[in-house]
Amino acid sequence: MRSIYQHVLGREFSKLQPELRKYFGLHAGSGAFGIGEGTFDVAGCPAWFARPVFRLTALENAFFPEYSSRVPFTIRNYAHVDPFGRPALTARREIDFGTVRRLFEDTTSLSGDRLTDYVGRHRRMATALTCSVTEDGRMRMVSSATRLYAGVRVPVPDAVGALAYMEQWWDADSGRFRISTRVVHRQLGTLLVYAGAFDYRLEQSDGALPLEAQPLRWEERT
């Protein structure tokens, strides 16, 4: 079996740093799930005017309104097959701001040769996820073409919506993974950011998605 990232990257997957190939090589038949523990150098919403909206999205275990430095976090990655038979990976992040602990969860599913990322506990927001490998072997992802599912499919044009940019790499000097993520609106600038370092390990799994990591609803539409 291949991971969803191996599938979409094809031969490019082999150009990733060896540590990243292990991280992004997780699939439903791996017999393991991943746990990352670390600290964000900075995390949250730097745009004060967007925080009221993010207080609402935080209720959906999506974006969050806080903004701070030195923020501890954990991430759990579960490779599985979603209810519609698609290979998928669900990530569940716990971010500890001290006064409040936020959850940020999503499921990335493979349909044909395309990745769709469904965000929030009801998976009502979906984006198209594009992956590439940098010249120095880092993983780069861009989320675009946002859709909202509120009974009907509502596309959000990139010109008025936001794009998410993620880059992840292995830092040989520290012996840790590093990640940098930004959600950027074309007119309003950076709305959300989290960047930091973490340790990562694999633990035994039967390939099923644990109950606590399952969303309140699943979305099949892409």
Side-chain angles (χ1 to χ4, degrees), residues 194-214:
Y194 54 90
F198 63 99
D199 299 305
Y200 191 73
R201 67 185 187 275
L202 297 178
E203 294 196 357
Q204 187 174 356
S205 169
D206 60 4
L209 185 62
L211 183 61
E212 66 271 16
Q214 295 185 20

Side-chain angles (χ1 to χ4, degrees), residues 77-197:
N77 291 328
Y78 302 97
H80 60 98
V81 177
D82 74 14
F84 313 108
R86 299 176 298 189
L89 187 133
T90 290
R92 180 179 172 88
R93 305 163 191 83
E94 296 184 19
I95 305 170
D96 187 0
F97 286 98
T99 57
V100 64
R101 180 170 294 184
R102 296 298 189 187
L103 294 178
F104 184 21
E105 56 183 321
D106 68 314
T107 296
T108 303
S109 294
L110 176 68
S111 300
D113 293 325
R114 297 183 303 159
L115 292 178
T116 302
D117 189 38
Y118 302 92
V119 180
R121 61 179 180 167
H122 287 92
R123 303 304 197 256
R124 288 197 177 106
M125 185 175 77
T127 64
L129 186 64
T130 304
C131 301
S132 61
V133 181
T134 68
E135 290 185 0
D136 54 355
R138 300 182 180 191
M139 172 68 93
R140 182 172 291 164
M141 298 182 182
V142 178
S143 294
S144 61
T146 301
R147 290 87 73 196
L148 300 177
Y149 295 111
V152 296
R153 183 183 188 275
V154 182
V156 180
D158 287 346
V160 298
L163 301 178
Y165 303 91
M166 189 279 285
E167 193 164 286
Q168 185 169 320
W169 67 99
W170 173 256
D171 182 357
D173 291 336
S174 65
R176 309 183 83 193
F177 287 101
R178 293 200 64 89
I179 186 170
S180 177
T181 299
R182 293 180 300 124
V183 178
V184 181
H185 190 279
R186 294 191 181 205
Q187 285 77 39
L188 302 177
T190 299
L191 301 181
L192 189 79
V193 60
Y194 54 90

Side-chain angles (χ1 to χ4, degrees), residues 8-22:
V8 297
L9 286 173
R11 293 181 179 178
E12 291 293 302
F13 188 83
S14 64
K15 297 180 181 179
L16 286 170
Q17 295 171 305
E19 296 81 4
L20 287 181
R21 292 200 297 269
K22 184 175 181 180

